[in-house]
Amino acid sequence: MRTPRWRRATLVVASTLLCAGCGLMDAGSSPSSPDGADRRGTESAVPDSSAETAPLTWGPTPQEVEQASRIIADWTPEQLAGQVIVGRYHSTDPEVPAQMVRELHLAGVSVTNGNVLDAEQVRATTSAVSAAVAEDGRDFPAVIGVDEEGGSVAHLRGIASTFPAFRSAGDAVDRDRAEGGREGRRVVREAARASGLELRSLGFTWVFAPVGDVTIGSADPTIGSRSPSSDPRTAATATAAAVRGYVAAGIVSTPKHFPGHGGATADSHEVLPTLSTGLEELRQRDLLPFKTSIRAGAPAIMMSHLDVQALEPGLPATLAPRVYDFLRQEMGFEGVAITDSLGMGAVADLPLPAVRAVQAGADLLLMPADTVNTHRTVTAAIRSGEITPERIQEAAGRVVALQLWQQRMSQELSVPEDAAERAEAAASELEAAAW
């Protein structure tokens, strides 16, 4: 089998890296962050900047990329299919998702508010899923994710700390910028870091945040206060600061919803919205937060269910090869591309959305409407060659490499015993900074 193009590309990039922070910064920032953190948000310099050990732009080292390739080299189609699926389930019994992960070889699961009761039950669930991955012979962490943006989208309400809507992050940046300072972005970064550590204390490895969408205001029925701002520069600064904070916490973040849901006037939970914005306007507005997030070290990006007329009209971005190509080639993103939930109305009724998403360039399939059937159809597509060996190796390899990164970061960055108290304090500080 030929070396997958993602490995060829990342090794070329790695050979040219001189340091972890080479001149990349968020909107309006200087090369050195105010608190001395490097551009990826870690709290110490990379000890060895050689091409073999220096992190790639999305976190893993070339060694971890190679290790991931070796791990999946002899996997069966069933194993490969599972490793690109983050399942949904309908239960509060920890054994239900654990059994599904074990039997279908899933990368992991997304935990929703319908799956949780209290902190003890959440920890039991995340522990059971982690154990299931280990029992399946995988010695890297499960993808255990949750929508915990703050504000109206917080699936751990009453269990994890209550953070304000992400609009507060944009307000904090704006207020501080008006006074000529950088304290706002520090507060946003610390809020994300504290939230990420608290989520890790509950057993999560992923957070489906931050929202990078630039809202257009009242005509935007879906995003609203989930967006950091209607100003692209403010949104870009806030989103990149949050990415740095999550990286510093050792949790995988997913700026969303590429290339930007804030300009859509319909709800993709129900229908497929059309985004008629021209490419130049997309570059100047919607794409800016994703550009800065990638520069800040975003390990994953969530794709939107939008018909993006300027890139590939007639298809949801999650199923559109040209949109993935744009993300890779034009935006320079090398990490994991994850779909928005495949159970949403924009795509749920389309034929074989999971297979088409992987073919188009998705590395992870989030919450398909029927996890078991999706695993079956993806496995069949791998067996038949409908999903090529190179494509599935590329997708599964990226996911495993990122989980090896998360494993390393969690070992290097311990969770403090008072993570919940620190998160509460960070949430209060963010709220105060926004006023």
Side-chain angles (χ1 to χ4, degrees), residues 275-287:
L275 194 64
S276 57
T277 309
L279 185 56
E280 187 55 36
E281 187 177 349
L282 280 177
R283 292 183 189 278
Q284 294 178 4
R285 187 188 70 192
D286 301 86
L287 293 172

Side-chain angles (χ1 to χ4, degrees), residues 62-78:
Q63 289 175 330
E64 287 164 336
V65 169
E66 286 295 317
Q67 183 181 353
S69 179
R70 291 193 300 271
I71 288 171
I72 67 171
D74 59 353
W75 277 10
T76 66
E78 288 84 359

